[in-house]
Amino acid sequence: MAEKRFTIIDDTTGKRYSYPVIESTRGPNGVDMRTFYRDSGHFSFDPGFTSTASCRSEITFIDGEKGELLYRGIPIEKLATEHNYLETCYLLLTGSLPTRDALVDFDFELRHRSFIHEGLKNLFDAFPQDAHPMSTLSSAVAALSSFYYEHLTINKEAEYQEMARRIIAKIPTIAAFSYRHSRGIPFIYPDIGRSFTENFLYMLRAYPGGKMHITKKGENTIRPIEIEALDTIFTLHADHEQNASTTTVRSVASTGAHPYVAISAGISALWGRAHGGANESVIEQLKMIGNVKNVDKFIAKAKDPNDPFRLMGFGHRVYKNFDPRAQILKKYQDSLKEELDLDSNLMQIASRIEEIALSDDYFIQRKLYPNIDFYSGVILTALGIPRTMFTPIFVIGRTVGWISQWIEFKKDRDQKIVRPRQIYVGP
Ligand code: ACO
């Protein structure tokens, strides 16, 4: 079959430039324009990379029009309902779901790697008590590169996997320590007798000595429904192809820096309110609105072109129909109403916003739909997780995605140091 090509014509000179088409297995094909500047003397201009593919990837696929999300070819709906977060991690890292034995080994390894070096604990003392856990988390993950400096030069599959498992296992511990530091309460070490997700809730909630909160009726335990809800949230956040934080991780990887500082940079990028920081802002905003009666006023603000106010948890660069992760969480939220103590006032405000926005021309024309962050906050609030920990929870879920993308980047012979060009318009 003849190679497909794509031609660009310069209207000024009439010159034609022809480029090979790169065929995808799903979604739009690409055009290999690497020699465009050399051929034509022009740069392409695409701020925010809305039309630019920066890599070939086999990890995650999103169809924004259909509202489809696949990890390694498996629909997110299937993973969220039939598999747990650790299976999803294994899938993203290796390309296939684990066998029963492989899962046991993977789980065992993560449990045993969940401790952090005693020296790293001292770092937390250097932070003011009111430090946001995201700031402590990104710093501690960067510091981890000095404890495992040997990962700087890795290039074998087994080494990649060890590095990946180490960071995935330690991130929940660092996140929990960051939170406990911000409260001025003693750190709780991981309990290797608990599963990944249960252990994180335990490290957030337990008292020294490993006791959970004790009421007059006895000791509160971590309920299976809470573990399941959080585990699903981790799965839904596990990867999302070339978003801002993943692109940051790949950019840092391109310079040859240590993988853990690349992850730390990804954490910093995720913190922004336009990205993962939105989940914290959604609840802040719902609380600020305060009452269903005030919703119309805030919708009007969101629509006012002279007002910078945006509805947090609405809109997405890629999803232009619905965010499948949001749909899963919404269903989940509805089914959990009874079992988890969901804040009914917040839910009423959220439902009203959703109702108006889904039928209002402003939102319909701009294809603005609720995204995952719109729903995760209500569930996390019901789990007793403080707002400042919402984005760290996103980090815990996403670390496997970042690290899988880092590994893919390292193996990709086409990749170069990231170095975009500019169109100079200064003096
Ligand atoms: N509320 C009100 N108006 C909005 C919103 C919003 N949440 N989002 C976009 N718009 C409007 C813009 O004002 C713009 O209107 P205009 O065409 O009249 O100027 C139009 O919709 C397009 O917006 P852009 O900013 O160009 O869209 P972009 O794709 O660059 O941004 C983004 C996507 C950043 C997610 C944006 O929708 C946003 O800021 N949303 C709120 C924050 C949020 O929820 N972020 C989480 C994203 S999901 C995630 O990272 C996990």
Side-chain angles (χ1 to χ4, degrees):
M1 213 169 47
E3 184 194 39
K4 285 191 189 157
R5 298 192 69 86
F6 193 91
T7 301
I8 295 169
I9 302 171
D10 180 339
D11 284 341
T12 315
T13 61
K15 276 193 180 159
R16 298 163 71 88
Y17 302 101
S18 167
Y19 297 99
V21 166
I22 302 176
E23 302 225 30
S24 67
T25 50
R26 282 174 197 263
N29 290 336
V31 178
D32 183 350
M33 293 185 60
R34 280 176 287 187
T35 61
F36 181 62
Y37 165 58
R38 202 175 66 206
D39 301 341
S40 72
H42 288 69
F43 293 140
S44 63
F45 179 64
D46 184 17
F49 309 123
T50 54
S51 296
T52 300
S54 60
C55 61
R56 292 181 178 88
S57 183
E58 297 179 353
I59 303 174
T60 292
F61 173 75
I62 302 173
D63 185 326
E65 296 299 328
K66 287 196 203 143
E68 195 176 36
L69 168 62
L70 313 174
Y71 296 161
R72 303 280 189 186
I74 303 180
I76 190 65
E77 291 78 6
K78 186 173 167 63
L79 291 167
T81 52
E82 294 173 25
H83 297 279
N84 65 25
Y85 177 66
L86 282 203
E87 292 174 276
T88 305
C89 286
Y90 190 94
L91 170 72
L92 285 167
L93 283 174
T94 67
S96 50
L97 283 164
T99 59
R100 190 183 285 263
D101 285 351
L103 184 61
V104 169
D105 289 348
F106 187 59
D107 181 25
F108 179 86
E109 193 177 346
L110 292 192
R111 287 178 197 230
H112 285 264
R113 289 192 186 280
S114 59
F115 294 82
I116 59 171
H117 194 285
E118 286 293 308
L120 185 61
K121 268 176 38 195
N122 300 329
L123 182 79
F124 292 88
D125 289 338
F127 284 83
Q129 195 184 315
D130 58 358
H132 193 289
M134 280 297 281
S135 128
T136 331
L137 179 58
S138 99
S139 308
V141 170
L144 215 54
S145 62
S146 47
F147 291 89
Y148 302 99
Y149 191 66
E150 70 274 16
H151 293 326
L152 182 66
T153 50
I154 55 180
N155 55 21
K156 296 187 183 69
E157 188 60 31
E159 294 170 333
Y160 289 146
Q161 292 294 334
E162 184 189 12
M163 174 279 292
R165 285 152 202 234
R166 191 166 258 156
I167 185 90
I168 292 166
K170 291 183 194 319
I171 286 263
T173 312
I174 298 174
F177 281 23
S178 301
Y179 165 65
R180 295 187 76 101
H181 173 76
S182 75
R183 286 290 166 98
I185 51 179
F187 301 144
I188 296 295
Y189 282 59
D191 175 356
I192 55 167
R194 296 176 192 264
S195 70
F196 183 90
T197 302
E198 181 188 354
N199 190 34
F200 175 64
L201 283 171
Y202 163 79
M203 288 188 286
L204 283 186
R205 293 181 184 174
Y207 284 78
K211 285 272 181 210
M212 301 303 287
H213 183 63
I214 295 175
T215 66
K216 286 182 185 150
K217 288 185 191 151
E219 187 176 337
N220 273 352
T221 51
I222 300 168
R223 290 183 290 158
I225 185 75
E226 297 181 296
I227 300 169
E228 187 192 310
L230 187 58
D231 201 80
T232 306
I233 287 179
F234 287 153
T235 298
L236 296 177
H237 286 93
D239 194 43
H240 217 226
E241 50 120 305
Q242 309 311 317
N243 55 79
S245 53
T246 302
T247 299
T248 303
V249 169
R250 282 181 173 256
S251 298
V252 177
S254 82
T255 69
H258 193 285
Y260 295 168
V261 295
I263 300 296
S264 165
I267 294 172
S268 300
L270 187 81
W271 194 6
R273 285 157 64 95
H275 196 7
N279 59 11
E280 187 180 336
S281 308
V282 168
I283 293 291
E284 253 166 48
Q285 206 167 73
L286 294 178
K287 291 209 163 143
M288 182 175 75
I289 296 172
N291 192 299
V292 209
K293 285 190 295 201
N294 302 329
V295 169
D296 288 348
K297 196 171 77 197
F298 283 92
I299 295 274
K301 269 169 83 57
K303 288 162 57 175
D304 180 352
N306 300 315
D307 191 329
F309 179 85
R310 284 192 169 198
L311 269 191
M312 287 291 132
F314 268 79
H316 197 275
R317 170 62 63 75
V318 181
Y319 293 122
K320 297 299 173 196
N321 195 341
F322 63 88
D323 176 343
R325 305 166 302 170
Q327 287 207 327
I328 297 168
L329 271 195
K330 181 176 163 43
K331 266 195 223 147
Y332 208 67
Q333 178 185 289
D334 292 343
S335 70
L336 287 177
K337 250 186 235 162
E338 307 291 300
E339 292 178 78
L340 285 180
D341 194 13
L342 299 180
D343 185 323
S344 58
N345 186 41
L346 286 190
M347 279 185 72
Q348 262 181 15
I349 301 171
S351 308
R352 183 69 188 134
I353 293 177
E354 197 186 344
E355 196 185 322
I356 300 181
L358 293 179
S359 57
D360 187 301
D361 270 357
Y362 174 93
F363 294 91
I364 295 172
Q365 275 165 15
R366 288 168 182 74
K367 301 191 171 196
L368 300 171
Y369 296 89
N371 58 50
I372 187 169
D373 295 325
F374 190 70
Y375 300 105
S376 57
V378 176
I379 300 180
L380 293 175
T381 305
L383 297 181
I385 291 177
R387 239 175 351 189
T388 53
M389 284 305 286
F390 291 2
T391 317
I393 280 175
F394 194 152
V395 169
I396 297 174
R398 181 57 56 84
T399 298
V400 66
W402 288 327
I403 215 76
S404 304
Q405 300 268 353
W406 187 95
I407 295 171
E408 188 176 72
F409 182 94
K410 284 291 165 185
K411 292 179 183 170
D412 185 347
R413 296 263 155 248
D414 278 341
Q415 289 299 337
K416 294 162 108 53
I417 185 167
V418 170
R419 191 5 178 138
R421 309 305 287 252
Q422 64 169 16
I423 297 172
Y424 180 67
V425 293

